């Protein structure tokens, strides 16, 4: 998916998310932080949060809460990158009416005093 794209899903669905950080600054970025903001109708699936980079080519389970204040995903030289993967569960049908509803979980990356964010526009459709 590209920024601004959207997906359609149903209640109780599990969405697999992949976020890429790439250092485009031309200088070494230290203490890159990732935070995931979720609407109240979505929860992070515990144990699915993994980082993949040159230090963790097979992936490493993150030991901090992505939906908390932010997780330090490391430092990166110019053009260095990392992927963070995790899953989000959409609440059950009792949380939704028969009208489609749009939820917008947000990913925020902070590095070197700069912040970049993106949303995963998610249209939840309950079959009635």
């Amino acid at each position: 998916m590209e920024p601004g794209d959207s997906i359609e899903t149903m209640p109780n669905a599990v969405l697999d998310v992949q976020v890429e950080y790439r250092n485009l600054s031309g200088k070494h970025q230290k203490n890159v932080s990732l935070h995931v903001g979720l609407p109240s109708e979505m929860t992070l699936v515990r144990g699915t949060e993994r980082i993949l980079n040159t230090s963790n080519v097979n992936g490493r389970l993150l030991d901090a809460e992505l939906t908390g204040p932010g997780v330090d995903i490391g430092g990166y030289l110019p053009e260095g990158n990392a992927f963070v993967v995790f899953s989000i569960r959409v609440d059950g049908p009792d949380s939704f009416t028969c009208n489609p509803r749009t939820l917008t979980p947000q990913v925020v990356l902070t590095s070197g005093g700069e912040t970049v964010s993106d949303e995963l526009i998610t249209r939840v459709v309950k079959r009635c």
Side-chain angles (χ1 to χ4, degrees):
M1 291 187 64
E2 296 297 321
D5 285 351
S6 65
I7 61 169
E8 186 172 296
T9 191
M10 297 174 15
N12 285 324
V14 174
L15 309 175
D16 295 322
V17 180
Q18 175 178 294
V19 176
E20 180 185 13
Y21 166 79
R22 180 172 301 278
N23 181 357
L24 301 175
S25 73
K27 59 186 175 187
H28 186 190
Q29 293 288 330
K30 299 177 183 175
N31 303 318
V32 176
S33 176
L34 176 96
H35 166 77
V36 177
L38 296 177
S40 61
E41 302 85 0
M42 295 178 147
T43 53
L44 186 68
V45 178
R46 302 280 181 243
T48 63
E49 313 97 319
R50 301 184 73 75
I51 183 167
L52 297 97
N53 56 21
T54 56
S55 299
N56 303 286
V57 293
N58 293 318
R60 176 180 58 85
L61 191 63
L62 291 172
D63 57 0
E65 176 63 50
L66 286 177
T67 57
V71 174
D72 185 337
I73 61 168
Y76 297 88
L77 295 171
E79 297 301 319
N81 71 326
F83 292 92
V84 175
V85 294
F86 55 92
S87 297
I88 299 170
R89 181 179 307 282
V90 179
D91 281 358
D94 292 346
S95 296
F96 300 94
T97 66
C98 292
N99 297 320
R101 179 124 168 251
T102 300
L103 304 176
T104 51
Q106 186 177 51
V107 174
V108 179
L109 284 158
T110 304
S111 175
E114 295 183 26
T115 299
V116 176
S117 65
D118 196 8
E119 296 178 331
L120 173 61
I121 301 166
T122 309
R123 186 171 182 254
V124 181
V125 179
K126 176 180 176 180
R127 306 287 184 226
C128 295

